[in-house]
Amino acid sequence: MAMRRVLMTSLLLAGWSIAAEAASLQDAILPASVIFATSTGYWEDDGNAPAIERAPTGAESVADPEGKAAQRHGYYKLFAVRQPDRTSKVYLQQIAQTETGPVIASTIELQEFSELKPYVTDIRPENSNGIIKEPGLFATVYLKTEPAAEPDGWTVLIDEFGDITVEKATN
């Protein structure tokens, strides 16, 4: 009977160890505070162009530090991060496609949303066909400004020149 208890305790502890390892791996992949995300759109430049124009300090650069311009391209990622007060901040990233895989080229907070202190309820791309090969981005962020209100759609548009427009949807 004692041997059986030792075996059961060992199995139980091993299970907890595996579960803790899996939980920490999940946290490293995507924080729980990221509540909605979409990857869509397409961008490209000559390798020396600045990242998104409104990029804050701390944006990563994937331009060649030796000054050799190399064509680079990638896609956009738009995501909402839940704040402690249950409102959200919305961020836009440029993801560069490199030989070693995707790399964050820049990250910006979309202040138009932060000023609203929204409760984000969804983020959707223009279509669900995956990353497109035309420059730009079009996505809709659904949000509420009061918890009990009906959600409104707001569009995030990036044109072929990289200019960002955030406005209330007009359908």
Side-chain angles (χ1 to χ4, degrees), residues 96-115:
Q97 295 286 60
T98 68
E99 291 179 14
T100 59
V103 174
I104 298 171
S106 68
T107 301
I108 63 167
E109 179 180 342
L110 295 177
Q111 291 298 323
E112 294 88 344
F113 291 116
S114 297
E115 291 169 2

Side-chain angles (χ1 to χ4, degrees), residues 2-169:
M3 186 70 119
R4 186 179 214 180
R5 282 188 193 158
V6 169
L7 178 61
M8 294 300 283
T9 303
S10 297
L11 289 173
L12 184 60
L13 290 175
W16 277 336
S17 173
I18 291 170
E21 186 177 315
S24 68
L25 180 59
Q26 281 182 325
D27 289 343
I29 293 173
L30 185 65
S33 59
V34 175
I35 54 174
F36 297 101
T38 189
S39 295
T40 188
Y42 179 80
W43 64 270
E44 64 183 8
D45 65 27
D46 64 3
N48 286 324
I52 298 173
E53 290 295 318
R54 302 191 281 178
T57 60
E60 298 176 40
S61 174
V62 294
D64 187 351
E66 296 175 6
K68 294 182 270 181
Q71 181 74 19
R72 59 185 195 154
H73 65 279
Y75 56 93
Y76 296 100
K77 186 186 324 179
L78 186 65
F79 60 97
V81 177
R82 188 173 191 171
Q83 303 301 298
D85 65 355
R86 297 182 49 217
T87 63
S88 299
K89 291 189 177 186
V90 179
Y91 294 89
L92 175 67
Q93 288 183 327
Q94 279 182 293
I95 309 297
Q97 295 286 60
T98 68
E99 291 179 14
T100 59
V103 174
I104 298 171
S106 68
T107 301
I108 63 167
E109 179 180 342
L110 295 177
Q111 291 298 323
E112 294 88 344
F113 291 116
S114 297
E115 291 169 2
L116 294 171
K117 298 196 178 289
Y119 299 89
V120 175
T121 61
D122 200 1
I123 297 178
R124 295 188 185 176
E126 180 178 19
N127 64 55
S128 296
N129 293 333
I131 298 165
I132 57 174
K133 290 291 184 186
E134 299 171 12
L137 167 134
F138 184 91
T140 304
V141 176
Y142 294 91
L143 61 88
K144 302 176 184 184
T145 54
E146 295 292 327
E150 288 294 316
D152 290 321
W154 286 70
T155 59
V156 178
L157 173 69
I158 303 176
D159 65 19
E160 63 273 15
F161 305 111
D163 294 331
I164 304 168
T165 304
V166 177
E167 59 189 10
K168 194 169 185 177

